[in-house]
Amino acid sequence: MTKWLSKNESGRADEIEIRGKVIPGIVVQILKNRGWDTKEKIEQYFAPTLSDLHNPFLMTQMERAVDRIIKALHSRERVLIHGDYDTDGITAVALLLTNLKRMGIDATYYIPNRLEEGYGLSSAGVEQAVKSGCTLIIAVDCGITAVEEVLYAKKHNIDVIICDHHKAGDEIPEAAAVLDPKIPTEQYPFRELAGIGVAFKLIEALYEKTGLEKEQLYQDLDLVALGTVVDIVPLVDENRVLVKYGINRIKKSKKPGFRALLKESKLNNRISSYHLGFIIGPRINACGRLRDAKEALELFLTDDYDRAVQLAERLSADNRERQAIEEQIYREAFDLVSSSGEDKKRVIVLGKEEWHEGIVGIVASRISEYFHRPTILLSLKEKTAKGSARSIPDFDITEALKYCSRLLLKFGGHSQAAGLEIKKEDFIKFSESINKYAASFDAAVFERKRFYDVELDLSDITDELIHFLKYFEPTGMANPQPVFLGRNFEIVGVPRVVGSDHLKFALRNNGRVFSAIAYGRGDAILEIEPGKTRIDCLYSIHEDSFFGKKKVVLKIKEMKKTGEMGAG
């Protein structure tokens, strides 16, 4: 059973006035619970500016990186940008390539094939640099663990600049410069930049050093917003500023790729972090999962709108194919969990020969969410097994993989997601090893929890509250949409099941009635007696437009009949 836990330990705050606007006490309290506990911090939260970004030269080796690129410019060297095949890597390559060429640098790119080369700075990429006559490689969204590959490049008189945001291994590559906020010795004030965020700081520093007008760079914040949101990094500090301004850029982007994407996905100018993460992002990721990511990159580089439309259509077709493969693997994995007893373990480890290694990460995420367990899905090959891991809060999956490193051929990633490769013969040993590591954790780590911001009656929902809730955007990891606890709400009207399995109904409390929808809870209709059934629920508040008329809808996250255990 899911535990409902409050983030609020100090009652209800008073309203405050900022710039002539009165902010409701409910909103003030939510922000205080999240660490925005002064009037100055709240003002900064509601009105972030690009001047809030940190000085890029606070990154320890930024000066070295900038000087090396300027040397390449003056010496007319050729530069290879080595990216990754996901949205973060693709947008980072597009950002660097566009801006280096704008500065007059001869630049080309290389993105590895996920199925043939796997993740990271590859020897094939270094070979491409050698063949292309490049004397500098800039690795974006990868490289921090590529010790051997960097040495290989140096043997061919090629310098490497690493722009990464993943955790470092025991040894840092001997690169010309290493930019990675997660290096333990790094003093940069914000550690949670995405790969494209680090690339942006590099270009920002180059603009400062060379005296270029930054407004040109800010036009590319559309790329930064997309890569940042899709990589699921915390949307706080610099990330929130970059995404907030980047979303506004997307709405009026001059890039044919973004215009074609918005048309193909039928979004027009209705863009939020949700749309980037769940509608646009999967389209960009799809081709890299199924084959290679070059067409996704081309979409952001082309100046030809007709070509962009063609590419956007192909990416959508790839995404539909990806969805079909994903659904098949999910059904098989779900059945395997139950039949094999994996759901009784603290870490779920599954593998099968036919599973597509480019898709297993998404399925691992779904399995992890359903069972609330760290989950590793592997595609079994002739001699090896390659796949992806997804985790739960408070369980760092890369630390768990480090514990099993003697059994791993390759691994890397974040606290909540990672890629790995093992010998097929070590499958059982690996599962036993990672579960042994997980056994050292308190059982509470593996209990499902839902956090809410404050308790809220329907009578508390005012036009002012709805107005200020919109200012929480862009929402995402570490800056979630506000969630409220409702107690003893009465279900009224005629509930009905809509869409595939969604329950639509109305809730009444203290004389107020609002429409509500609970996604994936169509089964609950059998337990409802309108006018009699009362529920406790966790919900968020949304304002939808129907034919020009605005309507408030409560989106139900969790619901239990009043009196059932779990709320608290």
Side-chain angles (χ1 to χ4, degrees), residues 513-566:
V513 177
F514 287 96
S515 295
I517 187 166
Y519 293 105
R521 288 303 312 271
D523 61 316
I525 197 169
L526 301 175
E527 304 171 15
I528 292 173
E529 292 183 69
K532 294 184 178 180
T533 300
R534 293 176 181 270
I535 63 169
D536 297 335
C537 60
L538 302 183
Y539 66 97
S540 57
I541 302 171
H542 298 259
E543 188 176 63
D544 294 335
S545 293
F546 296 93
F547 302 104
K549 292 184 178 180
K550 293 182 178 180
K551 182 180 180 181
V552 175
V553 177
L554 310 182
K555 294 189 178 179
I556 309 301
K557 311 292 184 182
E558 299 259 355
M559 54 189 279
K560 302 169 184 176
K561 284 186 179 180
T562 298
E564 289 184 0
M565 293 179 64

Short mmCIF file of all heavy atoms in Angstrom, two decimals, residues 513-566:
data_model
loop_
_atom_site.label_atom_id
_atom_site.label_comp_id
_atom_site.label_asym_id
_atom_site.label_seq_id
_atom_site.Cartn_x
_atom_site.Cartn_y
_atom_site.Cartn_z
N VAL A 513 -18.13 22.19 -6.17
CA VAL A 513 -18.10 20.99 -7.01
C VAL A 513 -17.13 21.21 -8.15
O VAL A 513 -17.16 22.26 -8.81
CB VAL A 513 -19.49 20.66 -7.57
CG1 VAL A 513 -19.42 19.44 -8.49
CG2 VAL A 513 -20.48 20.40 -6.44
N PHE A 514 -16.24 20.23 -8.39
CA PHE A 514 -15.29 20.31 -9.50
C PHE A 514 -15.28 18.98 -10.27
O PHE A 514 -15.46 17.91 -9.67
CB PHE A 514 -13.87 20.59 -8.99
CG PHE A 514 -13.67 22.00 -8.52
CD1 PHE A 514 -13.78 22.31 -7.17
CD2 PHE A 514 -13.37 23.01 -9.42
CE1 PHE A 514 -13.58 23.61 -6.72
CE2 PHE A 514 -13.17 24.32 -8.98
CZ PHE A 514 -13.28 24.62 -7.63
N SER A 515 -15.05 19.08 -11.57
CA SER A 515 -14.84 17.90 -12.39
C SER A 515 -13.51 17.26 -12.01
O SER A 515 -12.56 17.96 -11.63
CB SER A 515 -14.83 18.24 -13.87
OG SER A 515 -16.09 18.73 -14.28
N ALA A 516 -13.42 15.93 -12.15
CA ALA A 516 -12.19 15.22 -11.81
C ALA A 516 -11.98 14.06 -12.77
O ALA A 516 -12.94 13.54 -13.34
CB ALA A 516 -12.25 14.70 -10.37
N ILE A 517 -10.72 13.67 -12.92
CA ILE A 517 -10.40 12.51 -13.74
C ILE A 517 -9.26 11.74 -13.08
O ILE A 517 -8.31 12.33 -12.58
CB ILE A 517 -10.04 12.91 -15.19
CG1 ILE A 517 -9.88 11.66 -16.07
CG2 ILE A 517 -8.78 13.78 -15.24
CD1 ILE A 517 -9.87 11.97 -17.56
N ALA A 518 -9.41 10.41 -13.06
CA ALA A 518 -8.38 9.53 -12.50
C ALA A 518 -7.91 8.61 -13.62
O ALA A 518 -8.64 7.71 -14.05
CB ALA A 518 -8.94 8.72 -11.34
N TYR A 519 -6.69 8.86 -14.12
CA TYR A 519 -6.17 8.08 -15.24
C TYR A 519 -5.87 6.65 -14.82
O TYR A 519 -5.29 6.40 -13.77
CB TYR A 519 -4.92 8.75 -15.81
CG TYR A 519 -5.21 10.09 -16.45
CD1 TYR A 519 -4.87 11.29 -15.80
CD2 TYR A 519 -5.83 10.17 -17.69
CE1 TYR A 519 -5.15 12.52 -16.38
CE2 TYR A 519 -6.11 11.40 -18.28
CZ TYR A 519 -5.78 12.56 -17.61
OH TYR A 519 -6.07 13.78 -18.18
N GLY A 520 -6.30 5.71 -15.67
CA GLY A 520 -6.02 4.30 -15.42
C GLY A 520 -6.81 3.70 -14.27
O GLY A 520 -6.49 2.62 -13.79
N ARG A 521 -7.89 4.36 -13.83
CA ARG A 521 -8.67 3.86 -12.70
C ARG A 521 -10.12 3.56 -13.09
O ARG A 521 -11.03 3.67 -12.27
CB ARG A 521 -8.64 4.87 -11.54
CG ARG A 521 -7.31 4.95 -10.82
CD ARG A 521 -6.84 3.61 -10.26
NE ARG A 521 -7.87 2.90 -9.52
CZ ARG A 521 -8.09 3.06 -8.21
NH1 ARG A 521 -7.34 3.92 -7.53
NH2 ARG A 521 -9.02 2.37 -7.61
N GLY A 522 -10.33 3.15 -14.32
CA GLY A 522 -11.68 2.80 -14.75
C GLY A 522 -12.31 1.71 -13.91
O GLY A 522 -13.53 1.68 -13.72
N ASP A 523 -11.47 0.82 -13.36
CA ASP A 523 -11.98 -0.28 -12.53
C ASP A 523 -12.69 0.20 -11.28
O ASP A 523 -13.58 -0.47 -10.74
CB ASP A 523 -10.82 -1.20 -12.13
CG ASP A 523 -9.76 -0.46 -11.30
OD1 ASP A 523 -9.40 0.67 -11.68
OD2 ASP A 523 -9.28 -1.02 -10.29
N ALA A 524 -12.36 1.40 -10.80
CA ALA A 524 -12.93 1.91 -9.55
C ALA A 524 -14.40 2.25 -9.67
O ALA A 524 -15.09 2.42 -8.65
CB ALA A 524 -12.14 3.14 -9.09
N ILE A 525 -14.93 2.31 -10.89
CA ILE A 525 -16.34 2.68 -11.07
C ILE A 525 -17.26 1.67 -10.40
O ILE A 525 -18.38 1.99 -9.98
CB ILE A 525 -16.68 2.83 -12.58
CG1 ILE A 525 -17.99 3.60 -12.73
CG2 ILE A 525 -16.72 1.47 -13.28
CD1 ILE A 525 -18.28 4.02 -14.17
N LEU A 526 -16.80 0.42 -10.27
CA LEU A 526 -17.61 -0.64 -9.67
C LEU A 526 -17.78 -0.44 -8.16
O LEU A 526 -18.68 -1.02 -7.55
CB LEU A 526 -16.97 -2.00 -9.94
CG LEU A 526 -16.80 -2.38 -11.41
CD1 LEU A 526 -16.04 -3.70 -11.54
CD2 LEU A 526 -18.16 -2.48 -12.10
N GLU A 527 -16.93 0.39 -7.56
CA GLU A 527 -16.97 0.58 -6.10
C GLU A 527 -17.65 1.89 -5.70
O GLU A 527 -17.70 2.24 -4.52
CB GLU A 527 -15.55 0.57 -5.54
CG GLU A 527 -14.75 -0.68 -5.88
CD GLU A 527 -13.29 -0.54 -5.51
OE1 GLU A 527 -12.96 0.38 -4.74
OE2 GLU A 527 -12.47 -1.34 -5.99
N ILE A 528 -18.20 2.61 -6.68
CA ILE A 528 -18.72 3.96 -6.41
C ILE A 528 -20.25 3.97 -6.39
O ILE A 528 -20.91 3.44 -7.28
CB ILE A 528 -18.23 4.95 -7.48
CG1 ILE A 528 -16.71 5.15 -7.34
CG2 ILE A 528 -18.95 6.29 -7.36
CD1 ILE A 528 -16.11 5.98 -8.46
N GLU A 529 -20.79 4.58 -5.35
CA GLU A 529 -22.22 4.89 -5.27
C GLU A 529 -22.34 6.41 -5.23
O GLU A 529 -22.06 7.03 -4.20
CB GLU A 529 -22.84 4.29 -4.02
CG GLU A 529 -22.92 2.77 -4.00
CD GLU A 529 -23.62 2.27 -2.76
OE1 GLU A 529 -24.85 2.49 -2.65
OE2 GLU A 529 -22.95 1.70 -1.89
N PRO A 530 -22.70 7.02 -6.35
CA PRO A 530 -22.78 8.49 -6.39
C PRO A 530 -23.67 9.03 -5.27
O PRO A 530 -24.76 8.52 -5.01
CB PRO A 530 -23.39 8.78 -7.76
CG PRO A 530 -23.00 7.58 -8.59
CD PRO A 530 -23.05 6.42 -7.64
N GLY A 531 -23.16 10.07 -4.59
CA GLY A 531 -23.90 10.67 -3.50
C GLY A 531 -23.65 10.01 -2.17
O GLY A 531 -24.00 10.56 -1.11
N LYS A 532 -23.04 8.82 -2.18
CA LYS A 532 -22.75 8.10 -0.94
C LYS A 532 -21.24 7.89 -0.73
O LYS A 532 -20.74 8.04 0.38
CB LYS A 532 -23.45 6.75 -0.92
CG LYS A 532 -24.97 6.83 -0.88
CD LYS A 532 -25.58 5.43 -0.78
CE LYS A 532 -27.11 5.52 -0.68
NZ LYS A 532 -27.72 4.16 -0.58
N THR A 533 -20.55 7.53 -1.83
CA THR A 533 -19.12 7.23 -1.70
C THR A 533 -18.32 8.51 -1.45
O THR A 533 -18.45 9.50 -2.16
CB THR A 533 -18.59 6.54 -2.97
OG1 THR A 533 -19.31 5.33 -3.17
CG2 THR A 533 -17.11 6.22 -2.83
N ARG A 534 -17.48 8.44 -0.43
CA ARG A 534 -16.57 9.56 -0.13
C ARG A 534 -15.13 9.05 -0.19
O ARG A 534 -14.86 7.90 0.17
CB ARG A 534 -16.87 10.15 1.26
CG ARG A 534 -18.22 10.83 1.34
CD ARG A 534 -18.52 11.31 2.75
NE ARG A 534 -19.82 11.95 2.83
CZ ARG A 534 -20.05 13.26 2.63
NH1 ARG A 534 -19.01 14.05 2.36
NH2 ARG A 534 -21.25 13.76 2.69
N ILE A 535 -14.26 9.90 -0.67
CA ILE A 535 -12.86 9.49 -0.84
C ILE A 535 -11.89 10.49 -0.23
O ILE A 535 -12.20 11.68 -0.09
CB ILE A 535 -12.50 9.31 -2.34
CG1 ILE A 535 -12.62 10.63 -3.10
CG2 ILE A 535 -13.33 8.22 -2.98
CD1 ILE A 535 -12.03 10.59 -4.50
N ASP A 536 -10.73 9.97 0.15
CA ASP A 536 -9.55 10.80 0.38
C ASP A 536 -8.73 10.68 -0.90
O ASP A 536 -8.69 9.61 -1.52
CB ASP A 536 -8.73 10.30 1.56
CG ASP A 536 -9.50 10.37 2.87
OD1 ASP A 536 -10.42 11.20 2.97
OD2 ASP A 536 -9.19 9.56 3.78
N CYS A 537 -8.09 11.74 -1.31
CA CYS A 537 -7.36 11.68 -2.58
C CYS A 537 -6.18 12.64 -2.61
O CYS A 537 -6.14 13.62 -1.85
CB CYS A 537 -8.29 11.97 -3.76
SG CYS A 537 -9.07 13.59 -3.71
N LEU A 538 -5.24 12.33 -3.47
CA LEU A 538 -4.16 13.25 -3.82
C LEU A 538 -4.47 13.77 -5.21
O LEU A 538 -4.75 12.98 -6.13
CB LEU A 538 -2.81 12.53 -3.80
CG LEU A 538 -2.40 11.87 -2.49
CD1 LEU A 538 -0.99 11.28 -2.62
CD2 LEU A 538 -2.44 12.85 -1.32
N TYR A 539 -4.41 15.08 -5.40
CA TYR A 539 -4.83 15.64 -6.68
C TYR A 539 -4.02 16.89 -7.04
O TYR A 539 -3.43 17.54 -6.18
CB TYR A 539 -6.32 15.97 -6.67
CG TYR A 539 -6.72 17.08 -5.71
CD1 TYR A 539 -6.88 18.40 -6.15
CD2 TYR A 539 -6.96 16.81 -4.35
CE1 TYR A 539 -7.27 19.41 -5.29
CE2 TYR A 539 -7.34 17.83 -3.47
CZ TYR A 539 -7.49 19.12 -3.94
OH TYR A 539 -7.87 20.14 -3.09
N SER A 540 -3.99 17.16 -8.33
CA SER A 540 -3.42 18.43 -8.82
C SER A 540 -4.53 19.21 -9.52
O SER A 540 -5.56 18.65 -9.88
CB SER A 540 -2.25 18.18 -9.77
OG SER A 540 -2.66 17.37 -10.86
N ILE A 541 -4.32 20.50 -9.67
CA ILE A 541 -5.35 21.39 -10.21
C ILE A 541 -4.91 21.89 -11.58
O ILE A 541 -3.80 22.40 -11.75
CB ILE A 541 -5.57 22.59 -9.26
CG1 ILE A 541 -5.99 22.09 -7.87
CG2 ILE A 541 -6.63 23.52 -9.83
CD1 ILE A 541 -6.01 23.19 -6.82
N HIS A 542 -5.80 21.74 -12.56
CA HIS A 542 -5.49 22.15 -13.93
C HIS A 542 -6.63 23.00 -14.48
O HIS A 542 -7.80 22.79 -14.13
CB HIS A 542 -5.28 20.93 -14.83
CG HIS A 542 -4.13 20.08 -14.42
ND1 HIS A 542 -2.91 20.13 -15.04
CD2 HIS A 542 -4.02 19.17 -13.42
CE1 HIS A 542 -2.09 19.27 -14.44
NE2 HIS A 542 -2.74 18.69 -13.45
N GLU A 543 -6.28 23.91 -15.34
CA GLU A 543 -7.28 24.71 -16.03
C GLU A 543 -7.23 24.37 -17.51
O GLU A 543 -6.24 24.65 -18.19
CB GLU A 543 -7.02 26.21 -15.82
CG GLU A 543 -8.14 27.10 -16.34
CD GLU A 543 -7.89 28.57 -16.02
OE1 GLU A 543 -6.90 29.11 -16.52
OE2 GLU A 543 -8.69 29.15 -15.26
N ASP A 544 -8.27 23.73 -18.00
CA ASP A 544 -8.35 23.35 -19.41
C ASP A 544 -9.28 24.29 -20.16
O ASP A 544 -10.16 24.93 -19.56
CB ASP A 544 -8.86 21.91 -19.56
CG ASP A 544 -7.87 20.90 -18.99
OD1 ASP A 544 -6.68 21.23 -18.93
OD2 ASP A 544 -8.30 19.79 -18.61
N SER A 545 -9.07 24.37 -21.47
CA SER A 545 -9.94 25.20 -22.31
C SER A 545 -10.78 24.32 -23.22
O SER A 545 -10.24 23.44 -23.90
CB SER A 545 -9.12 26.17 -23.16
OG SER A 545 -8.49 27.13 -22.34
N PHE A 546 -12.09 24.51 -23.19
CA PHE A 546 -12.99 23.79 -24.07
C PHE A 546 -13.76 24.80 -24.90
O PHE A 546 -14.58 25.55 -24.39
CB PHE A 546 -13.97 22.93 -23.25
CG PHE A 546 -13.30 21.85 -22.45
CD1 PHE A 546 -12.92 22.07 -21.13
CD2 PHE A 546 -13.04 20.61 -23.02
CE1 PHE A 546 -12.31 21.07 -20.39
CE2 PHE A 546 -12.42 19.61 -22.29
CZ PHE A 546 -12.06 19.83 -20.98
N PHE A 547 -13.45 24.83 -26.20
CA PHE A 547 -14.11 25.76 -27.13
C PHE A 547 -14.06 27.20 -26.62
O PHE A 547 -15.04 27.93 -26.65
CB PHE A 547 -15.57 25.33 -27.37
CG PHE A 547 -15.70 23.93 -27.91
CD1 PHE A 547 -16.11 22.89 -27.08
CD2 PHE A 547 -15.39 23.65 -29.23
CE1 PHE A 547 -16.22 21.60 -27.57
CE2 PHE A 547 -15.51 22.36 -29.73
CZ PHE A 547 -15.91 21.34 -28.90
N GLY A 548 -12.87 27.55 -26.10
CA GLY A 548 -12.66 28.92 -25.66
C GLY A 548 -13.08 29.19 -24.22
O GLY A 548 -12.79 30.26 -23.68
N LYS A 549 -13.76 28.23 -23.58
CA LYS A 549 -14.18 28.41 -22.20
C LYS A 549 -13.24 27.67 -21.27
O LYS A 549 -12.89 26.52 -21.53
CB LYS A 549 -15.61 27.89 -22.01
CG LYS A 549 -16.66 28.72 -22.74
CD LYS A 549 -18.06 28.22 -22.43
CE LYS A 549 -19.11 29.09 -23.12
NZ LYS A 549 -20.50 28.61 -22.82
N LYS A 550 -12.83 28.32 -20.21
CA LYS A 550 -11.90 27.70 -19.26
C LYS A 550 -12.66 26.91 -18.21
O LYS A 550 -13.72 27.34 -17.73
CB LYS A 550 -11.02 28.78 -18.61
CG LYS A 550 -10.06 29.44 -19.59
CD LYS A 550 -9.18 30.47 -18.91
CE LYS A 550 -8.19 31.08 -19.91
NZ LYS A 550 -7.32 32.09 -19.26
N LYS A 551 -12.10 25.76 -17.87
CA LYS A 551 -12.74 24.89 -16.89
C LYS A 551 -11.67 24.28 -16.00
O LYS A 551 -10.64 23.81 -16.48
CB LYS A 551 -13.53 23.79 -17.61
CG LYS A 551 -14.26 22.85 -16.67
CD LYS A 551 -15.03 21.79 -17.46
CE LYS A 551 -15.77 20.86 -16.51
NZ LYS A 551 -16.51 19.80 -17.26
N VAL A 552 -11.90 24.27 -14.70
CA VAL A 552 -10.96 23.70 -13.75
C VAL A 552 -11.24 22.20 -13.60
O VAL A 552 -12.39 21.78 -13.41
CB VAL A 552 -11.07 24.39 -12.37
CG1 VAL A 552 -10.17 23.70 -11.35
CG2 VAL A 552 -10.69 25.86 -12.49
N VAL A 553 -10.19 21.40 -13.74
CA VAL A 553 -10.29 19.94 -13.62
C VAL A 553 -9.28 19.46 -12.58
O VAL A 553 -8.11 19.87 -12.60
CB VAL A 553 -10.02 19.24 -14.98
CG1 VAL A 553 -10.06 17.72 -14.82
CG2 VAL A 553 -11.02 19.69 -16.03
N LEU A 554 -9.72 18.60 -11.70
CA LEU A 554 -8.82 17.99 -10.71
C LEU A 554 -8.31 16.67 -11.27
O LEU A 554 -9.11 15.80 -11.65
CB LEU A 554 -9.56 17.74 -9.39
CG LEU A 554 -10.35 18.91 -8.81
CD1 LEU A 554 -10.97 18.52 -7.48
CD2 LEU A 554 -9.48 20.15 -8.65
N LYS A 555 -7.01 16.52 -11.34
CA LYS A 555 -6.42 15.27 -11.82
C LYS A 555 -6.00 14.45 -10.60
O LYS A 555 -5.15 14.87 -9.82
CB LYS A 555 -5.25 15.55 -12.76
CG LYS A 555 -5.70 16.23 -14.05
CD LYS A 555 -4.62 16.32 -15.09
CE LYS A 555 -5.18 16.95 -16.37
NZ LYS A 555 -4.14 17.10 -17.43
N ILE A 556 -6.63 13.29 -10.45
CA ILE A 556 -6.47 12.47 -9.25
C ILE A 556 -5.24 11.57 -9.40
O ILE A 556 -5.14 10.77 -10.32
CB ILE A 556 -7.73 11.60 -9.01
CG1 ILE A 556 -8.99 12.47 -9.03
CG2 ILE A 556 -7.59 10.85 -7.69
CD1 ILE A 556 -9.02 13.58 -8.00
N LYS A 557 -4.30 11.72 -8.48
CA LYS A 557 -3.07 10.91 -8.49
C LYS A 557 -3.30 9.58 -7.76
O LYS A 557 -2.81 8.54 -8.19
CB LYS A 557 -1.93 11.66 -7.81
CG LYS A 557 -1.72 13.09 -8.29
CD LYS A 557 -1.23 13.14 -9.71
CE LYS A 557 -0.93 14.58 -10.12
NZ LYS A 557 -0.47 14.66 -11.54
N GLU A 558 -3.97 9.66 -6.61
CA GLU A 558 -4.28 8.48 -5.79
C GLU A 558 -5.66 8.72 -5.17
O GLU A 558 -6.01 9.86 -4.85
CB GLU A 558 -3.26 8.30 -4.66
CG GLU A 558 -1.84 8.08 -5.12
CD GLU A 558 -1.43 6.61 -5.06
OE1 GLU A 558 -2.23 5.79 -4.58
OE2 GLU A 558 -0.31 6.32 -5.51
N MET A 559 -6.42 7.65 -4.97
CA MET A 559 -7.72 7.79 -4.30
C MET A 559 -8.01 6.54 -3.48
O MET A 559 -7.69 5.42 -3.87
CB MET A 559 -8.83 8.04 -5.32
CG MET A 559 -8.93 7.02 -6.43
SD MET A 559 -10.09 7.52 -7.73
CE MET A 559 -11.63 7.04 -6.96
N LYS A 560 -8.62 6.77 -2.28
CA LYS A 560 -9.00 5.68 -1.39
C LYS A 560 -10.31 6.06 -0.73
O LYS A 560 -10.54 7.24 -0.43
CB LYS A 560 -7.92 5.48 -0.30
CG LYS A 560 -6.54 5.18 -0.84
CD LYS A 560 -5.50 5.26 0.26
CE LYS A 560 -4.09 5.06 -0.31
NZ LYS A 560 -3.04 5.21 0.71
N LYS A 561 -11.15 5.08 -0.52
CA LYS A 561 -12.38 5.37 0.19
C LYS A 561 -12.05 5.93 1.58
O LYS A 561 -11.13 5.45 2.24
CB LYS A 561 -13.23 4.11 0.33
CG LYS A 561 -13.95 3.72 -0.96
CD LYS A 561 -14.90 2.55 -0.71
CE LYS A 561 -15.64 2.19 -1.99
NZ LYS A 561 -16.57 1.05 -1.76
N THR A 562 -12.78 6.93 2.00
CA THR A 562 -12.52 7.56 3.29
C THR A 562 -12.54 6.51 4.39
O THR A 562 -13.43 5.68 4.47
CB THR A 562 -13.59 8.62 3.59
OG1 THR A 562 -13.52 9.64 2.59
CG2 THR A 562 -13.38 9.25 4.96
N GLY A 563 -11.49 6.55 5.21
CA GLY A 563 -11.37 5.58 6.30
C GLY A 563 -10.38 4.48 6.02
O GLY A 563 -9.93 3.79 6.94
N GLU A 564 -10.00 4.30 4.72
CA GLU A 564 -9.00 3.27 4.42
C GLU A 564 -7.64 3.72 4.92
O GLU A 564 -7.33 4.90 4.96
CB GLU A 564 -8.93 3.01 2.91
CG GLU A 564 -10.16 2.29 2.37
CD GLU A 564 -10.02 1.95 0.89
OE1 GLU A 564 -8.98 2.28 0.30
OE2 GLU A 564 -10.95 1.36 0.33
N MET A 565 -6.78 2.78 5.27
CA MET A 565 -5.46 3.11 5.80
C MET A 565 -4.56 3.67 4.70
O MET A 565 -4.74 3.36 3.54
CB MET A 565 -4.80 1.88 6.40
CG MET A 565 -5.50 1.35 7.65
SD MET A 565 -4.69 -0.12 8.28
CE MET A 565 -3.08 0.56 8.72
N GLY A 566 -3.61 4.49 5.09
CA GLY A 566 -2.58 4.94 4.14
C GLY A 566 -2.45 6.43 4.09
O GLY A 566 -1.38 6.95 3.84
#
